[in-house]
Amino acid sequence: MLKTLTIDEVIEMVKKTPEQDTFDWKSDFVIPNDPDKQGEFIKDLTAIANACYSSYGYIVYGIHPLKPDPIIGITQFYDDSKLQQFAQGKIEPLPEFLYYEISAGLKVVGVLQVKPTRRRPHIISVDLGKVRKGQIVIRRGSSTDGVTMKDLYEFFYGQTSDHFSNVVQQMRAHTQQQLANIKLIQELREQQNSCLQHMEIISGIPRGSIGAKW
């Protein structure tokens, strides 16, 4: 269960935190009711998820940090369960997220909160609006960008990856299986040689006549 922010925590974050890898803000929440808006939401969620490996990622809606009062409020309201259902099957693997709305007096702000993940990369798995199946996007500074080879290396082999430990475990298991196979072959060869030795003894023929090693 994600721990949600209070309105005071939102205001403090907005005032003290510039746009960065794990924080974005938008002046309003746009209901994803057509392919372009849906694709934009999926892209934003994917980009934040690919950037937040050690701390929560946030998109806060209904704010404008450059205004005297940064809380301007959203004009459209939505429900987390609808977003959860909508996101299913569109990102692989699906990041854990929560959307909630907080009252600030007469105004309301929306918060999309994404749990830190080491299961990166999160990959867009559908064509939707302007986004395409197979795209891997990441939040970089104040913008959304495509991933680089350096990003992919970190996703799979870096210290922030869960994949590398699995690869190491598989390699160890494979090595152990190979060693077990080698040991079994050695034992079978020893048994074979022992049989040949016994045959040579029983037959009374010279040692090594049928291939036994003495």
Side-chain angles (χ1 to χ4, degrees):
M1 183 67 180
L2 300 185
K3 180 183 179 298
T4 59
L5 298 177
T6 65
I7 188 59
D8 290 335
E9 289 172 328
V10 169
I11 293 173
E12 182 178 9
M13 181 170 63
V14 169
K15 288 182 176 180
K16 295 183 178 180
T17 309
E19 283 188 297
Q20 53 185 261
D21 295 354
T22 57
F23 174 67
D24 188 14
W25 64 268
K26 298 180 184 294
S27 59
D28 203 355
F29 178 79
V30 178
I31 294 177
N33 54 10
D34 65 51
D36 283 340
K37 295 173 184 175
Q38 292 170 347
E40 189 66 21
F41 175 81
I42 290 298
K43 184 179 73 172
D44 289 342
L45 174 57
T46 304
I48 287 284
N50 278 330
C52 63
Y53 57 86
S54 62
S55 61
Y56 283 98
Y58 298 94
I59 302 177
V60 182
Y61 303 89
I63 66 167
H64 198 304
L66 301 181
K67 292 191 174 184
D69 181 1
I71 305 298
I72 59 178
I74 56 177
T75 60
Q76 303 182 82
F77 307 98
Y78 214 58
D79 183 69
D80 174 68
S81 62
K82 294 180 180 179
L83 284 179
Q84 297 288 345
Q85 184 176 6
F86 164 68
Q88 288 290 331
K90 296 178 177 65
I91 306 173
E92 179 62 34
L94 183 65
E96 187 175 344
F97 72 93
L98 180 68
Y99 175 77
Y100 51 96
E101 294 170 349
I102 312 172
S103 296
L106 298 177
K107 302 172 184 177
V108 175
V109 298
V111 179
L112 181 70
Q113 184 170 333
V114 184
K115 187 176 180 179
T117 173
R118 291 173 177 258
R119 299 171 62 206
R120 306 175 302 162
H122 298 276
I123 305 171
I124 296 172
S125 55
V126 292
D127 291 335
L128 196 58
K130 295 178 181 179
V131 304
R132 290 293 174 265
K133 180 179 180 179
Q135 274 188 281
I136 309 176
V137 292
I138 188 170
R139 181 81 181 169
R140 206 185 309 279
S142 60
S143 62
T144 296
D145 196 7
V147 298
T148 63
M149 285 298 296
K150 182 178 179 181
D151 294 322
L152 290 175
Y153 183 87
E154 179 62 33
F155 290 164
F156 287 106
Y157 305 111
Q159 295 181 350
T160 64
S161 172
D162 268 350
H163 298 290
F164 186 60
S165 60
N166 292 332
V167 170
V168 171
Q169 290 177 358
Q170 291 176 6
M171 290 176 64
R172 286 175 177 170
H174 181 66
T175 300
Q176 290 174 351
Q177 185 61 52
Q178 285 185 318
L179 292 175
N181 291 340
I182 292 171
K183 184 178 179 180
L184 177 60
I185 291 172
Q186 289 175 339
E187 290 175 351
L188 291 173
R189 285 175 176 172
E190 290 172 357
Q191 291 174 11
Q192 180 188 39
N193 190 61
S194 179
C195 289
L196 292 174
Q197 288 177 343
H198 283 105
M199 290 176 65
E200 290 176 355
I201 292 172
I202 294 172
S203 302
I205 60 177
R207 292 186 177 186
S209 298
I210 57 175
K213 296 179 180 180
W214 295 84

